[in-house]
Amino acid sequence: MPYTISLITPEEKEQLAKRCAPGVRYEIKSEIFGCCIKLLSDDRALLETWQENFSPMSQNIRSHGRLYVFKDPSCGENTVQFDPYSKTAFLFNFSYYGWIKSIALGLCGDILEDEHGISSVHGACVDVAGKGLAMVGTSGAGKTTQTYGLLRDPHARIISDDWFFARVFGPEILAYGSERNFYIRQDLSAIWKEFGGLVNADEYDADGRAVADIRWAVGKGRLLPLSTLNTIIILKRDAADPQILTPLENDEALRLFTENGYFNPHLLVKNPRKDALRNRYIVELIERTDCYLLNTTGTPKETQNVIRAILKMPETG
């Protein structure tokens, strides 16, 4: 886990809110799949990045969840304290924006799975000719690389490159996007040259990332709000395994999800009740989709062509 999470009581939340209140210079409410999330901080750069990343919400709407983000020498690096009752998270001494936005999405996921029967998937979702593909996996398996590789085809449209919400409607799973613009890596264009120039070189942060509007590269009509999920590919990178592609039975797919923490290191609350909820959602997902395990030890183009073969797309050059 890249940061630590401690659950706190509503009384402890009140004390922390009072401690942070004098330092709050910026408050902004954003809409994340119907949830109103309020960011409170003293960091102007964080505010600007957040506003590029998420859609605005009317400031007259009461918030469903809150994120306080501050530097505090009395706390350790990358420390999260979360009150699940009031849905309030305190993030202390974070420098990497990717974790901040993922915790915000995890906060929405906590709200939606408890109150609305909507699940979160820490993964990418791409629509190809009306059919949705989800790609999940552990960090470094190639999820982002392969997502943008698919977008080189004009028939592919993106729902999300990192996190989406899923809801069951009868025999179908609908996947919904979560972010207005995406937090991309600077080295993306080194693999797929089509994505060069999305962000000026001096706009990338210290982690080599920036929020970018990919419509500039793929066109305005190719970022969709939702798709019907048909395929799930679990990515792994294991040089010791010669097997490249394995179709998965439902029980094997469920085992991989549960053994890997649902491929989501940003779940704020973990307990038997939450495990039961998440297991049920995953079962519903895999029963309604075709699932595969794909080993990404080949070159990005080799892996891309395996994915395109599954989706019956033309190979990449």
Side-chain angles (χ1 to χ4, degrees), residues 102-123:
S102 292
I103 293 167
L105 291 163
L107 173 56
C108 288
D110 191 76
I111 295 166
L112 293 169
E113 70 183 358
D114 277 348
E115 301 177 22
H116 299 282
I118 296 170
S119 62
S120 297
V121 181
H122 182 233

PDB file of all heavy atoms in Angstrom, residues 102-123:
ATOM      1  N   SER A 102      -7.222   9.260  -6.629  1.00  0.00           N
ATOM      2  CA  SER A 102      -7.688   7.887  -6.438  1.00  0.00           C
ATOM      3  C   SER A 102      -8.414   7.729  -5.109  1.00  0.00           C
ATOM      4  O   SER A 102      -9.391   6.972  -5.008  1.00  0.00           O
ATOM      5  CB  SER A 102      -6.508   6.916  -6.512  1.00  0.00           C
ATOM      6  OG  SER A 102      -5.984   6.858  -7.825  1.00  0.00           O
ATOM      7  N   ILE A 103      -7.962   8.439  -4.088  1.00  0.00           N
ATOM      8  CA  ILE A 103      -8.668   8.400  -2.800  1.00  0.00           C
ATOM      9  C   ILE A 103     -10.028   9.061  -2.933  1.00  0.00           C
ATOM     10  O   ILE A 103     -11.023   8.597  -2.358  1.00  0.00           O
ATOM     11  CB  ILE A 103      -7.813   9.067  -1.705  1.00  0.00           C
ATOM     12  CG1 ILE A 103      -6.564   8.213  -1.440  1.00  0.00           C
ATOM     13  CG2 ILE A 103      -8.612   9.250  -0.420  1.00  0.00           C
ATOM     14  CD1 ILE A 103      -5.503   8.911  -0.615  1.00  0.00           C
ATOM     15  N   ALA A 104     -10.116  10.141  -3.717  1.00  0.00           N
ATOM     16  CA  ALA A 104     -11.422  10.762  -3.972  1.00  0.00           C
ATOM     17  C   ALA A 104     -12.356   9.780  -4.661  1.00  0.00           C
ATOM     18  O   ALA A 104     -13.543   9.676  -4.310  1.00  0.00           O
ATOM     19  CB  ALA A 104     -11.244  12.022  -4.825  1.00  0.00           C
ATOM     20  N   LEU A 105     -11.840   9.035  -5.628  1.00  0.00           N
ATOM     21  CA  LEU A 105     -12.654   8.036  -6.316  1.00  0.00           C
ATOM     22  C   LEU A 105     -13.016   6.887  -5.379  1.00  0.00           C
ATOM     23  O   LEU A 105     -14.129   6.351  -5.431  1.00  0.00           O
ATOM     24  CB  LEU A 105     -11.908   7.523  -7.544  1.00  0.00           C
ATOM     25  CG  LEU A 105     -11.764   8.546  -8.677  1.00  0.00           C
ATOM     26  CD1 LEU A 105     -10.689   8.121  -9.669  1.00  0.00           C
ATOM     27  CD2 LEU A 105     -13.086   8.763  -9.393  1.00  0.00           C
ATOM     28  N   GLY A 106     -12.082   6.516  -4.503  1.00  0.00           N
ATOM     29  CA  GLY A 106     -12.383   5.496  -3.506  1.00  0.00           C
ATOM     30  C   GLY A 106     -13.457   5.949  -2.537  1.00  0.00           C
ATOM     31  O   GLY A 106     -14.292   5.145  -2.095  1.00  0.00           O
ATOM     32  N   LEU A 107     -13.454   7.228  -2.198  1.00  0.00           N
ATOM     33  CA  LEU A 107     -14.488   7.790  -1.337  1.00  0.00           C
ATOM     34  C   LEU A 107     -15.854   7.703  -2.021  1.00  0.00           C
ATOM     35  O   LEU A 107     -16.848   7.297  -1.402  1.00  0.00           O
ATOM     36  CB  LEU A 107     -14.146   9.244  -1.006  1.00  0.00           C
ATOM     37  CG  LEU A 107     -15.175  10.068  -0.243  1.00  0.00           C
ATOM     38  CD1 LEU A 107     -15.559   9.396   1.070  1.00  0.00           C
ATOM     39  CD2 LEU A 107     -14.642  11.474   0.013  1.00  0.00           C
ATOM     40  N   CYS A 108     -15.911   8.045  -3.309  1.00  0.00           N
ATOM     41  CA  CYS A 108     -17.164   7.894  -4.058  1.00  0.00           C
ATOM     42  C   CYS A 108     -17.596   6.438  -4.097  1.00  0.00           C
ATOM     43  O   CYS A 108     -18.780   6.126  -3.936  1.00  0.00           O
ATOM     44  CB  CYS A 108     -16.991   8.407  -5.481  1.00  0.00           C
ATOM     45  SG  CYS A 108     -16.876  10.184  -5.595  1.00  0.00           S
ATOM     46  N   GLY A 109     -16.642   5.558  -4.327  1.00  0.00           N
ATOM     47  CA  GLY A 109     -16.960   4.141  -4.352  1.00  0.00           C
ATOM     48  C   GLY A 109     -17.545   3.657  -3.044  1.00  0.00           C
ATOM     49  O   GLY A 109     -18.492   2.851  -3.035  1.00  0.00           O
ATOM     50  N   ASP A 110     -17.021   4.146  -1.938  1.00  0.00           N
ATOM     51  CA  ASP A 110     -17.543   3.772  -0.623  1.00  0.00           C
ATOM     52  C   ASP A 110     -18.993   4.219  -0.464  1.00  0.00           C
ATOM     53  O   ASP A 110     -19.847   3.469   0.034  1.00  0.00           O
ATOM     54  CB  ASP A 110     -16.667   4.402   0.459  1.00  0.00           C
ATOM     55  CG  ASP A 110     -16.966   3.860   1.847  1.00  0.00           C
ATOM     56  OD1 ASP A 110     -16.541   2.736   2.144  1.00  0.00           O
ATOM     57  OD2 ASP A 110     -17.647   4.562   2.621  1.00  0.00           O
ATOM     58  N   ILE A 111     -19.284   5.433  -0.922  1.00  0.00           N
ATOM     59  CA  ILE A 111     -20.656   5.964  -0.853  1.00  0.00           C
ATOM     60  C   ILE A 111     -21.594   5.153  -1.749  1.00  0.00           C
ATOM     61  O   ILE A 111     -22.676   4.732  -1.329  1.00  0.00           O
ATOM     62  CB  ILE A 111     -20.670   7.449  -1.268  1.00  0.00           C
ATOM     63  CG1 ILE A 111     -19.876   8.300  -0.279  1.00  0.00           C
ATOM     64  CG2 ILE A 111     -22.103   7.968  -1.403  1.00  0.00           C
ATOM     65  CD1 ILE A 111     -19.565   9.709  -0.785  1.00  0.00           C
ATOM     66  N   LEU A 112     -21.176   4.910  -2.974  1.00  0.00           N
ATOM     67  CA  LEU A 112     -22.054   4.289  -3.961  1.00  0.00           C
ATOM     68  C   LEU A 112     -22.325   2.818  -3.667  1.00  0.00           C
ATOM     69  O   LEU A 112     -23.431   2.329  -3.883  1.00  0.00           O
ATOM     70  CB  LEU A 112     -21.452   4.459  -5.357  1.00  0.00           C
ATOM     71  CG  LEU A 112     -21.409   5.903  -5.869  1.00  0.00           C
ATOM     72  CD1 LEU A 112     -20.563   5.996  -7.132  1.00  0.00           C
ATOM     73  CD2 LEU A 112     -22.812   6.425  -6.139  1.00  0.00           C
ATOM     74  N   GLU A 113     -21.316   2.095  -3.167  1.00  0.00           N
ATOM     75  CA  GLU A 113     -21.564   0.679  -2.897  1.00  0.00           C
ATOM     76  C   GLU A 113     -22.413   0.489  -1.654  1.00  0.00           C
ATOM     77  O   GLU A 113     -23.208  -0.456  -1.574  1.00  0.00           O
ATOM     78  CB  GLU A 113     -20.247  -0.093  -2.772  1.00  0.00           C
ATOM     79  CG  GLU A 113     -19.420   0.210  -1.548  1.00  0.00           C
ATOM     80  CD  GLU A 113     -18.094  -0.541  -1.548  1.00  0.00           C
ATOM     81  OE1 GLU A 113     -17.838  -1.336  -2.489  1.00  0.00           O
ATOM     82  OE2 GLU A 113     -17.299  -0.328  -0.606  1.00  0.00           O
ATOM     83  N   ASP A 114     -22.321   1.396  -0.687  1.00  0.00           N
ATOM     84  CA  ASP A 114     -23.127   1.285   0.526  1.00  0.00           C
ATOM     85  C   ASP A 114     -24.576   1.699   0.302  1.00  0.00           C
ATOM     86  O   ASP A 114     -25.495   1.099   0.852  1.00  0.00           O
ATOM     87  CB  ASP A 114     -22.535   2.163   1.632  1.00  0.00           C
ATOM     88  CG  ASP A 114     -21.392   1.482   2.372  1.00  0.00           C
ATOM     89  OD1 ASP A 114     -21.218   0.260   2.185  1.00  0.00           O
ATOM     90  OD2 ASP A 114     -20.687   2.166   3.135  1.00  0.00           O
ATOM     91  N   GLU A 115     -24.788   2.730  -0.500  1.00  0.00           N
ATOM     92  CA  GLU A 115     -26.097   3.361  -0.549  1.00  0.00           C
ATOM     93  C   GLU A 115     -26.849   3.177  -1.868  1.00  0.00           C
ATOM     94  O   GLU A 115     -28.060   3.427  -1.923  1.00  0.00           O
ATOM     95  CB  GLU A 115     -25.954   4.857  -0.250  1.00  0.00           C
ATOM     96  CG  GLU A 115     -25.332   5.127   1.120  1.00  0.00           C
ATOM     97  CD  GLU A 115     -25.131   6.617   1.388  1.00  0.00           C
ATOM     98  OE1 GLU A 115     -25.818   7.421   0.745  1.00  0.00           O
ATOM     99  OE2 GLU A 115     -24.283   6.946   2.239  1.00  0.00           O
ATOM    100  N   HIS A 116     -26.145   2.771  -2.934  1.00  0.00           N
ATOM    101  CA  HIS A 116     -26.801   2.747  -4.242  1.00  0.00           C
ATOM    102  C   HIS A 116     -26.578   1.455  -5.031  1.00  0.00           C
ATOM    103  O   HIS A 116     -27.010   1.373  -6.187  1.00  0.00           O
ATOM    104  CB  HIS A 116     -26.332   3.943  -5.080  1.00  0.00           C
ATOM    105  CG  HIS A 116     -26.660   5.265  -4.447  1.00  0.00           C
ATOM    106  ND1 HIS A 116     -27.921   5.822  -4.495  1.00  0.00           N
ATOM    107  CD2 HIS A 116     -25.885   6.115  -3.718  1.00  0.00           C
ATOM    108  CE1 HIS A 116     -27.904   6.979  -3.832  1.00  0.00           C
ATOM    109  NE2 HIS A 116     -26.695   7.175  -3.357  1.00  0.00           N
ATOM    110  N   GLY A 117     -25.893   0.482  -4.471  1.00  0.00           N
ATOM    111  CA  GLY A 117     -25.682  -0.772  -5.183  1.00  0.00           C
ATOM    112  C   GLY A 117     -24.840  -0.636  -6.430  1.00  0.00           C
ATOM    113  O   GLY A 117     -25.017  -1.374  -7.400  1.00  0.00           O
ATOM    114  N   ILE A 118     -23.903   0.306  -6.429  1.00  0.00           N
ATOM    115  CA  ILE A 118     -23.034   0.558  -7.581  1.00  0.00           C
ATOM    116  C   ILE A 118     -21.610   0.187  -7.193  1.00  0.00           C
ATOM    117  O   ILE A 118     -21.127   0.587  -6.122  1.00  0.00           O
ATOM    118  CB  ILE A 118     -23.114   2.033  -8.012  1.00  0.00           C
ATOM    119  CG1 ILE A 118     -24.534   2.349  -8.498  1.00  0.00           C
ATOM    120  CG2 ILE A 118     -22.091   2.349  -9.089  1.00  0.00           C
ATOM    121  CD1 ILE A 118     -24.802   3.818  -8.717  1.00  0.00           C
ATOM    122  N   SER A 119     -20.939  -0.564  -8.042  1.00  0.00           N
ATOM    123  CA  SER A 119     -19.585  -1.013  -7.724  1.00  0.00           C
ATOM    124  C   SER A 119     -18.537  -0.152  -8.419  1.00  0.00           C
ATOM    125  O   SER A 119     -18.809   0.502  -9.431  1.00  0.00           O
ATOM    126  CB  SER A 119     -19.397  -2.482  -8.119  1.00  0.00           C
ATOM    127  OG  SER A 119     -19.570  -2.654  -9.509  1.00  0.00           O
ATOM    128  N   SER A 120     -17.331  -0.184  -7.873  1.00  0.00           N
ATOM    129  CA  SER A 120     -16.187   0.512  -8.451  1.00  0.00           C
ATOM    130  C   SER A 120     -15.232  -0.509  -9.052  1.00  0.00           C
ATOM    131  O   SER A 120     -15.033  -1.584  -8.486  1.00  0.00           O
ATOM    132  CB  SER A 120     -15.422   1.290  -7.381  1.00  0.00           C
ATOM    133  OG  SER A 120     -16.213   2.296  -6.810  1.00  0.00           O
ATOM    134  N   VAL A 121     -14.634  -0.151 -10.167  1.00  0.00           N
ATOM    135  CA  VAL A 121     -13.595  -0.978 -10.764  1.00  0.00           C
ATOM    136  C   VAL A 121     -12.373  -0.102 -10.999  1.00  0.00           C
ATOM    137  O   VAL A 121     -12.459   0.896 -11.725  1.00  0.00           O
ATOM    138  CB  VAL A 121     -14.046  -1.625 -12.087  1.00  0.00           C
ATOM    139  CG1 VAL A 121     -12.921  -2.494 -12.662  1.00  0.00           C
ATOM    140  CG2 VAL A 121     -15.304  -2.458 -11.882  1.00  0.00           C
ATOM    141  N   HIS A 122     -11.263  -0.467 -10.365  1.00  0.00           N
ATOM    142  CA  HIS A 122     -10.012   0.244 -10.603  1.00  0.00           C
ATOM    143  C   HIS A 122      -9.397  -0.331 -11.874  1.00  0.00           C
ATOM    144  O   HIS A 122      -8.621  -1.283 -11.842  1.00  0.00           O
ATOM    145  CB  HIS A 122      -9.069   0.072  -9.407  1.00  0.00           C
ATOM    146  CG  HIS A 122      -7.777   0.815  -9.558  1.00  0.00           C
ATOM    147  ND1 HIS A 122      -6.558   0.212  -9.417  1.00  0.00           N
ATOM    148  CD2 HIS A 122      -7.533   2.111  -9.848  1.00  0.00           C
ATOM    149  CE1 HIS A 122      -5.602   1.109  -9.615  1.00  0.00           C
ATOM    150  NE2 HIS A 122      -6.176   2.261  -9.875  1.00  0.00           N
ATOM    151  N   GLY A 123      -9.810   0.239 -12.986  1.00  0.00           N
ATOM    152  CA  GLY A 123      -9.358  -0.266 -14.272  1.00  0.00           C
ATOM    153  C   GLY A 123      -9.817   0.649 -15.392  1.00  0.00           C
ATOM    154  O   GLY A 123     -10.548   1.614 -15.175  1.00  0.00           O
TER     155      GLY A 123
END
